[in-house]
Amino acid sequence: MISPLAKFMPVSKAPPDMRAHAFEKVSRAIGFVAIALPLVCLIAGVIRFIPPNDLQNSISHFYYIPFLGDFFVGCLIFNGILLLFMFHTNGVPVPGWQNLSSRESLMMRFAGVSSIMIALFPTGGPSDSYKKSELIRVFTQFTKDPLQAGEPIAKSTPEFDFQSLHWLLDLYWHQVFAGVMFAILAYFTYCVFTRVHMDSSRLEGDELTPQKLKRNRYYRFFGIVIAFCIVGLVIGVFGLVIPLDTWDHYNATFALEAFALLAFGFAWLIKGRYFTSLND
């Protein structure tokens, strides 16, 4: 545990087994939310039951759609908070997370911050349904009524509109934080989850159990999928192989983001011991 952060985190008095069970529940929650986000957006775009009745160029463009925008923001902030605050051990060994270094604990927190920032700094650019390049949702509205008795009457609700922050949006924070988050998650999936974090994962002579070997194969596969999607997104978004219009026409960004989130989600379900056939 990072010592500067430890003083802000309460020290749990629960025994290691109880804390391990709590970590499993949280890991499952992260996995289910990561899987639900692309699937809900895909279903909504395909069956066209929510305006504007179309599949967007990217998952991030669903930010601008009623209901789905709130769902998108909620999923990112929910997982961001869990990554930011839930996975701390304060030096107490927790089965399943015994070999998590302090540096990696900090990386996980930065992934959580990145997830929240992705929601707070929405994507720009046109989508299949929105052709304008600057579409920023208003979180709260400020309005003034017409003049009454010579004085304008202003409603008390304050206004905060990201439209006034073009100089921040032009720095592509959304893309930067998305890249950082996916890179960290790919590292955790491929490098951290494949370590031996429980004594029950070893047989005599340091040989790994068949279940651990099988889990590691899944972890490495999902880690490679996430890394492949990151590379593909960079190549596609910058038009390095095919024109951007063609890329967007086939919703390639949406597809790669969906595959990355699904790989991330299933890896965390395995880490949360959801699939009993893979558990030791």
Side-chain angles (χ1 to χ4, degrees):
M1 177 65 194
I2 305 297
S3 55
L5 292 175
K7 60 183 179 181
F8 299 107
M9 300 292 186
V11 179
S12 174
K13 303 299 183 181
D17 289 345
M18 186 177 295
R19 300 187 72 190
H21 183 66
F23 276 39
E24 291 173 6
K25 295 294 186 182
V26 174
S27 298
R28 294 180 187 183
I30 291 175
F32 279 124
V33 171
I35 292 172
L37 178 56
L39 292 183
V40 169
C41 292
L42 176 63
I43 293 172
V46 170
I47 67 177
R48 303 184 176 188
F49 73 97
I50 295 178
N53 303 326
D54 203 354
L55 188 65
Q56 304 302 294
N57 288 344
S58 71
I59 294 176
S60 297
H61 278 97
F62 281 90
Y63 176 92
Y64 302 109
I65 296 180
F67 172 74
L68 290 176
D70 299 318
F71 178 75
F72 169 79
V73 171
C75 287
L76 288 173
I77 293 181
F78 178 82
N79 271 1
I81 290 175
L82 293 183
L83 292 171
L84 182 58
F85 293 111
M86 295 304 296
F87 292 93
H88 61 91
T89 64
N90 287 326
V92 179
V94 177
W97 297 88
Q98 292 179 357
N99 291 323
L100 182 68
S101 69
S102 59
R103 176 179 60 85
E104 290 162 348
S105 180
L106 183 61
M107 288 174 61
M108 184 176 290
R109 282 160 177 73
F110 199 68
V113 172
S114 298
S115 180
I116 296 172
M117 292 298 103
I118 292 170
L120 296 183
F121 289 92
T123 188
S127 68
D128 285 350
S129 302
Y130 296 102
K131 301 305 180 183
K132 295 181 180 180
S133 61
E134 297 173 352
L135 291 166
I136 309 302
R137 291 170 72 206
V138 179
F139 287 146
T140 54
Q141 184 71 36
F142 176 85
T143 59
K144 287 187 176 182
D145 292 338
L147 288 175
Q148 296 183 11
E151 293 291 338
I153 299 177
K155 294 184 178 179
S156 60
T157 305
E159 177 184 8
F160 185 76
D161 186 351
F162 275 115
Q163 187 109 9
S164 63
L165 301 179
H166 288 305
W167 63 276
L168 280 177
L169 296 173
D170 290 343
L171 297 178
Y172 299 103
W173 289 115
H174 182 89
Q175 290 79 2
V176 170
F177 283 117
V180 169
M181 184 191 72
F182 277 123
I184 293 175
L185 296 177
Y187 170 81
F188 264 81
T189 302
Y190 193 92
C191 300
V192 177
F193 290 176
T194 53
R195 296 179 195 154
V196 177
H197 294 277
M198 299 177 64
D199 295 336
S200 60
S201 297
R202 291 188 184 278
L203 301 173
E204 294 183 1
D206 288 339
E207 184 180 354
L208 300 181
T209 63
Q211 292 87 346
K212 176 59 176 173
L213 291 172
K214 187 180 294 185
R215 292 200 303 273
N216 283 354
R217 286 195 290 269
Y218 281 115
Y219 288 144
R220 292 190 179 99
F221 171 74
F222 290 137
I224 292 173
V225 169
I226 297 173
F228 172 82
C229 290
I230 295 173
V231 175
L233 287 170
V234 172
I235 292 175
V237 169
F238 287 98
L240 301 180
V241 176
I242 61 176
L244 185 57
D245 290 342
T246 304
W247 178 270
D248 288 340
H249 175 73
Y250 291 103
N251 301 107
T253 297
F254 180 96
L256 291 178
E257 289 176 341
F259 281 125
L261 285 171
L262 291 174
F264 157 52
F266 279 110
W268 279 78
L269 287 182
I270 295 173
K271 185 62 178 173
R273 301 174 65 83
Y274 179 75
F275 303 102
T276 55
S277 62
L278 297 177
N279 298 336
D280 297 316

